[in-house]
Amino acid sequence: MKRRDFLSRSALVTAGTMLIPNFLKAFEKQHLNTLGLSNKKLVIIQLSGGNDGLNTVIPFRNDIYYKVRPKLAIESQHVLQLSDELGFNPALTGMKQLYDDGLLTILNSVGYPNPDRSHFRSMDIWQTASGSDEFLGTGWIGRYLDEACGGSCSQPYNAIEVDDTLSLAMKGDRLKGLAVSNPQKLYQLTHNKIITDINSAQHTEADHEQVSYLYKTLGETVSSAAYIYDKSKIYKTKATYPPTELGRKLKTIAELILSGVETNIFYVSISGFDTHVNQKIRQGQLLKQYSEAMSTFIQDLKQNNQLNESLVMTFSEFGRRVAQNGSGGTDHGTANNVFLIGGKLQKPGLFNESPNLQNLDEGDLKYQIDFRSIYATLLKDWLGIDDKMIISNSAGHLKLV
């Protein structure tokens, strides 16, 4: 296959189909090992669509909650009580146990100034750690890869998204994370006949700089695919994960962590939380799936002595309106809760006070905690990197880990 033909097929070059030419073998051997990065693991779970925080962590003593949600509110007798004022949705029995075990921190009213209620724009803000008036082309995890060890020791597999496509959060200027839904399939995709043919292509000094960069990127990706596949064969979990999308993704992450993969950040997302209609049943189903998968995952890490080295953060791009709508659901809102789960939490339990339902912004919750301060804290205190190189407007740090 000629190089021109190869470039004409560049649309095939995705995280799952990147290839490696012969001239990059030396590069692959030189840069395969990651040195100088933290051994800590950060697992990020995105609840896409805007999870309703008020029906997740419920202010069951607040009369306003029941007044504005006459059909949607969770009855107080069904709430899993966390404190005198707040309790979990009854679907979150596994999360309640993690809370009781001191492995969960709940941050209430997390958001940012001048919030945006568009799914796409708000998710961009969360994934890039930008202000509502900024438009960034790189994600905060991608910039972490760019800056870690000056970028010289980072590899795509240092940040893995368990999916077929890569989120903006994982894309940096020089480096990107790797999208891997199945390590074996990814490995097989990089070892078919087309790849064998391209692997015989010769690189010359006359090639354009962009062509060389493309080959380099392909080489890094295939090196990562082989590395992840080799690691994935080392350990197979004995835990029984629920047969759900999140259960399968967390099982993959657990096996990679327990196999010793040199990945610092894992990223997963589950959808369906845009509950404008008939929310009560649908959200309960989704929260049950989340809780069961998370409970199994944390227990798996704990039994294998990896819980103290791992931290899970769960977020959604925004919360919902305080009042229910006319269709048995809620519309797009603003501030929401964030969960941190791990064995090294500084303040397990409720990190801050419950949302103020008397002091609203046009029917929406006002934020108390800027989400960028959470990111900055995780970067500095958990991953051990200067957060100011990655997030310029962090709004300070919190005592979380």
Side-chain angles (χ1 to χ4, degrees):
M1 181 182 294
K2 295 181 180 179
R3 186 176 298 106
R4 182 179 303 171
D5 294 330
F6 164 58
L7 293 176
S8 71
R9 299 188 185 189
S10 61
L12 296 175
V13 181
T14 65
T17 58
M18 289 187 171
L19 322 172
I20 181 168
N22 287 330
F23 85 97
L24 278 173
K25 291 295 184 181
F27 175 88
E28 176 183 355
K29 293 178 180 179
Q30 179 181 358
H31 293 281
L32 184 61
N33 293 324
T34 299
L35 301 172
L37 292 173
S38 170
N39 291 323
K40 303 290 188 181
K41 310 298 183 183
L42 176 61
V43 180
I44 301 169
I45 300 177
Q46 171 186 310
L47 307 181
S48 297
N51 179 47
D52 180 19
L54 283 178
N55 269 25
T56 302
V57 181
I58 301 159
F60 67 95
R61 300 283 190 194
N62 195 312
D63 292 338
I64 298 175
Y65 168 73
Y66 289 99
K67 180 180 179 180
V68 299
R69 296 186 171 202
K71 296 182 179 180
L72 188 60
I74 305 297
E75 297 82 359
S76 59
Q77 65 268 27
H78 298 314
V79 170
L80 305 176
Q81 188 170 341
L82 303 174
S83 70
D84 291 339
E85 296 183 0
L86 295 174
F88 267 144
N89 186 294
L92 295 171
T93 54
M95 295 295 290
K96 176 62 162 61
Q97 186 61 56
L98 296 178
Y99 182 92
D100 292 342
D101 291 343
L103 300 175
L104 170 63
T105 295
I106 300 172
L107 297 98
N108 292 305
S109 305
V110 180
Y112 54 91
N114 303 311
D116 196 296
R117 293 173 181 82
S118 160
H119 288 294
F120 303 104
R121 177 59 186 143
S122 189
M123 188 57 73
D124 279 355
I125 291 170
W126 275 84
Q127 292 194 356
T128 63
S130 69
S132 58
D133 58 345
E134 294 180 290
F135 293 85
L136 302 181
T138 58
W140 72 284
I141 300 170
R143 296 197 298 275
Y144 163 79
L145 293 176
D146 283 342
E147 296 297 336
C149 309
S152 62
C153 67
S154 297
Q155 290 292 310
Y157 60 74
N158 293 138
I160 292 177
E161 182 161 3
V162 185
D163 207 328
D164 293 321
T165 58
L166 203 63
S167 298
L168 176 58
M170 306 285 278
K171 299 176 181 179
D173 273 327
R174 300 186 302 276
L175 290 169
K176 296 176 175 60
L178 192 69
V180 183
S181 60
N182 183 305
Q184 182 177 2
K185 289 182 179 179
L186 176 60
Y187 178 81
Q188 290 172 344
L189 282 170
T190 60
H191 288 78
N192 57 33
K193 186 178 185 303
I194 294 178
I195 295 173
T196 303
D197 292 341
I198 295 175
N199 195 40
S200 63
Q202 298 298 313
H203 174 72
T204 68
E205 294 298 327
D207 282 327
H208 192 277
E209 179 181 353
Q210 292 181 347
V211 176
S212 298
Y213 176 79
L214 177 59
Y215 276 123
K216 176 179 177 293
T217 303
L218 299 180
E220 289 175 341
T221 305
V222 169
S223 296
S224 293
Y227 170 80
I228 293 167
Y229 177 60
D230 287 342
K231 284 290 187 180
S232 71
K233 295 183 290 185
I234 295 175
Y235 179 85
K236 297 298 180 183
T237 181
K238 298 176 179 63
T240 302
Y241 282 78
T244 59
E245 178 187 5
L246 183 59
R248 289 188 291 270
K249 290 181 176 182
L250 290 181
K251 180 182 179 181
T252 297
I253 293 174
E255 290 180 339
L256 290 174
I257 290 175
L258 298 176
S259 294
V261 68
E262 294 179 344
T263 300
N264 298 113
I265 301 178
F266 297 90
Y267 198 100
V268 300
S269 62
I270 55 173
S271 60
F273 288 89
D274 193 16
T275 50
H276 290 276
V277 180
N278 298 327
Q279 173 183 304
K280 205 168 189 178
I281 294 176
R282 180 56 179 155
Q283 188 197 24
Q285 294 170 337
L286 290 168
L287 291 179
K288 185 173 186 287
Q289 292 175 18
Y290 166 76
S291 181
E292 290 177 346
M294 185 57 60
S295 178
T296 304
F297 178 66
I298 295 301
Q299 187 63 25
D300 200 2
L301 295 180
K302 184 177 181 180
Q303 289 179 346
N304 287 279
N305 300 313
Q306 286 296 315
L307 185 56
N308 287 347
E309 303 301 312
S310 304
L311 182 67
V312 183
M313 182 186 76
T314 301
F315 80 99
S316 197
E317 70 263 35
F318 48 61
R320 316 295 291 190
R321 302 278 287 178
V322 173
Q324 69 179 49
N325 61 25
S327 302
T330 50
D331 298 325
H332 300 176
T334 54
N336 207 349
N337 36 54
V338 167
F339 297 155
L340 292 179
I341 308 168
K344 289 290 188 179
L345 301 174
Q346 287 288 326
K347 189 180 178 182
L350 296 166
F351 185 82
N352 58 330
E353 62 188 22
S354 59
N356 188 339
L357 301 188
Q358 292 181 309
N359 183 19
L360 302 177
D361 181 8
E362 297 182 356
D364 284 317
L365 298 176
K366 293 183 178 180
Y367 83 97
Q368 299 175 18
I369 297 174
D370 193 314
F371 77 95
R372 291 164 293 189
S373 65
I374 300 175
Y375 288 1
T377 302
L378 298 183
L379 289 166
K380 180 176 182 291
D381 296 339
W382 188 251
L383 296 176
I385 191 169
D386 184 359
D387 59 281
K388 295 182 179 62
M389 297 190 300
I390 300 164
I391 302 175
S392 60
N393 49 2
S394 68
H397 298 88
L398 305 170
K399 293 183 178 180
L400 296 174
V401 291

